[in-house]
Amino acid sequence: MVKGHCPSSRRKFLINILVQNMGMPFLKKLRRGKLFILVLLCGFFLVACSRNSEKAKSLNAANTENAANTESAGATSPDKEKALPVFSTWESIKMDVPNILPCKQEDQLPEGAAPWGGTVSHHLLTGKLIDDWFIELVKRRKIDIFYILSPSHHGISLYNYALTMGSWGTNGGLVETFIPDAKALAKKLDVPFDDQVFTIEHGVFTLMPYIKKYFPNAKVVAIANLCDYINIYTVQKLADAFMPFFDVNKSTEKENKFLLVSTDFSHHHNLEKTLSNDAKSRKFLKERDPARWELVACDNRPACYILSRLFTENTRCTIQYHTNALYLEPKEVDPEDITSYFFTFFWEE
C-alpha cells in the first residue's frame, strides 16, 4: 500500500502519523499493529520522500541531516565526535496548537515553593495547558538543564535506553543537548547514541518549543526509555544511572536542574475506566507512596519509579491540571479511546 504512494501522498502520510501521535484527532483509526509498521517506515520516509511545501522541506532538511549523521544504522558511539543532528519539532514544521475547551485549574503552587520536577503531557492537543505549566514554572525557577524522561513510543529504539547529543529546531533557535551529562549517562547505561529515535519521538519534540520560549538558554538531556515496567531490572538500571545526576535539594538551590517527566496517563479506555485509572494515579501523585508506582496508569512508569526514589518525607505534589482528551475536544475524540492528563509540580516543603 505504502509502496505505491507518490511523494506528496507520502508527505501527507508522514504528517498524519506525527499528528496522530501528538494526540490530535484523526478520522481513520489504525489498528496497533498496523500503526507500528507505518510509524517504523516513516523514519525512512523522512529522508526518502520529496516534499513540495515549505513545511515539509523544513522537516526533511532536519532529518536528512540527522540520517547522515547516524550512519544509516542510527547509532553512534558516545565518544565519537562528529556533526550533530538537528531534529524537527511541531513548531519548526509550522503545525498549530489545537483549540480546546477551557480547563479549570485544580490547584496552584504555594508562595515560595520551588519545584524540582513535574509531569507534563506530550500530546499537542494539550498545548495550551503545556504553555500554562511553563508559565508557572518560569515564575518559580531558574533552570539551566532539563532532564527529560520520555517513553520511546514507536518501537524503533535499538536499546532499552535512547540518548542523543543532537539539538531541536524551534522558532527561537536550537535547544541544545548538555553533552557532558548525555555522554556520562550513555556510558553508565552502556549504550551508544541512538539518534534515529528522536526524529519522530513526540515525547521529546513536543516540549522543546516551550523550553526555548520560557528558558531560552537552557539545555536538555533527553532519555527515551523502552523499558517495560514489569522488567524491574531495566527500570532499576535506568534509575541507578540517573540518580547521581539529580539531587532534589541541590537541583533547586544550587544546580538549576529540573526533572521533566514527559507522560500521558490513562490510554484507550472509556470515561468510566479512565476515571478509575486516574484515581490510582492521583493516589501515587498526592501520597507519594513509593510502593504505588506500578499502579500508575501512564505511558512512562519507569519515570514514576525514578520519582518514587527521589521523593523525601518533605516532598509535596501540586496538581495544576487534571483533564482528558474527551473533555478538551468532545466532538473529535472517540469516547472509547480516551487519554488523560495530569500536569503536576513536585517540591520540598
Side-chain angles (χ1 to χ4, degrees), residues 2 39 45 89 95 116 167 172 236 308 344:
V2 174
V39 170
F45 292 158
T89 65
M95 293 184 72
W116 51 260
S167 303
Q236 283 184 338
S308 76
T344 69

Side-chain angles (χ1 to χ4, degrees), residues 143-314:
I143 299 171
D144 295 325
I145 305 174
F146 283 90
Y147 295 93
I148 303 175
L149 298 180
S150 170
S152 182
H153 283 88
H154 306 300
I156 63 172
S157 292
L158 299 177
Y159 315 96
N160 285 321
Y161 325 96
L163 293 103
T164 182
M165 293 193 294
S167 303
W168 288 261
T170 75
N171 288 347
L174 296 180
V175 179
E176 298 179 349
T177 293
F178 185 66
I179 291 177
D181 280 9
K183 283 185 174 182
L185 272 166
K187 186 174 182 179
K188 280 181 172 292
L189 291 168
D190 193 27
V191 293
F193 289 112
D194 197 1
D195 294 328
Q196 65 175 348
V197 171
F198 296 94
T199 61
I200 56 172
E201 184 45 69
H202 62 281
V204 177
F205 72 60
T206 299
L207 303 175
M208 292 302 181
Y210 300 99
I211 290 175
K212 192 65 179 180
K213 179 179 178 181
Y214 293 106
F215 298 89
N217 298 316
K219 295 189 177 184
V220 301
V221 178
I223 308 170
N225 69 76
L226 196 62
C227 312
D228 189 319
Y229 77 100
I230 296 173
N231 187 342
I232 190 62
Y233 170 77
T234 56
V235 174
Q236 283 184 338
K237 184 175 181 179
L238 176 61
D240 290 344
F242 178 75
M243 297 292 282
F245 292 87
F246 195 86
D247 179 277
V248 166
N249 292 308
K250 285 184 180 178
S251 292
T252 55
E253 294 174 0
K254 299 178 182 179
E255 298 176 339
N256 295 330
K257 298 177 179 180
F258 190 87
L259 175 59
L260 199 165
V261 175
S262 174
T263 185
D264 296 307
F265 286 78
S266 182
H267 284 61
H268 308 308
H269 295 293
N270 61 25
L271 185 59
E272 181 180 5
K273 180 64 174 176
T274 299
L275 294 176
S276 174
N277 284 343
D278 285 355
K280 297 175 184 176
S281 299
R282 179 183 288 273
K283 198 168 183 66
F284 169 77
L285 294 169
K286 295 300 288 184
E287 296 183 5
R288 300 164 306 286
D289 181 353
R292 290 185 172 273
W293 71 273
E294 289 186 272
L295 300 179
V296 178
C298 73
D299 59 3
N300 198 356
R301 284 192 184 95
C304 292
Y305 176 67
I306 291 175
L307 284 172
S308 76
R309 289 183 53 175
L310 289 171
F311 290 157
T312 74
E313 61 181 13
N314 297 319

